[in-house]
Amino acid sequence: MSEIKDTRVAVITIIVEEPGCVPAINEILHAAADSIIGRMGIPYREKNISIISVAVDAQQDVINNISGRLGRVRGATVKTAYSKK
């Protein structure tokens, strides 16, 4: 990257309610790999859901794009929390 621009840190939380949507989620996250700091997935078998937290460091519009694409995946609920810096 030749030019460093302001980035923000955010956590994108994904609640997977339909396991069939996981391939679509993984495809989006794979495409955003350069912005991902790390991710953690927790299966919650008692409720038959999974919780995925993805920490990202990217420009605001990139984070918005990732969150928006994930938010359009049927069977998943997505929320994003941003750092203030």
Side-chain angles (χ1 to χ4, degrees):
M1 181 181 277
S2 60
E3 182 180 332
I4 298 175
K5 296 187 178 183
D6 289 332
T7 62
R8 292 184 72 182
V9 173
V11 177
I12 303 170
T13 304
I14 308 159
I15 298 178
V16 178
E17 297 170 335
E18 296 178 22
C21 73
V22 172
I25 291 169
N26 284 333
E27 182 178 323
I28 294 165
L29 294 178
H30 179 74
D34 290 347
S35 301
I36 295 175
I37 301 167
R39 77 187 253 189
M40 175 180 60
I42 304 168
Y44 188 20
R45 290 176 183 86
E46 290 82 6
K47 298 280 185 176
N48 199 30
I49 63 171
S50 293
I51 303 152
I52 303 169
S53 296
V54 183
V56 296
D57 184 356
Q59 294 176 355
Q60 179 78 44
D61 60 335
V62 173
I63 297 170
N64 290 344
N65 181 274
I66 297 166
S67 296
R69 290 180 64 206
L70 289 166
R72 289 188 292 276
V73 173
R74 287 185 180 261
T77 301
V78 178
K79 297 291 179 186
T80 304
Y82 296 89
S83 68
K84 293 183 180 175
K85 295 184 178 185

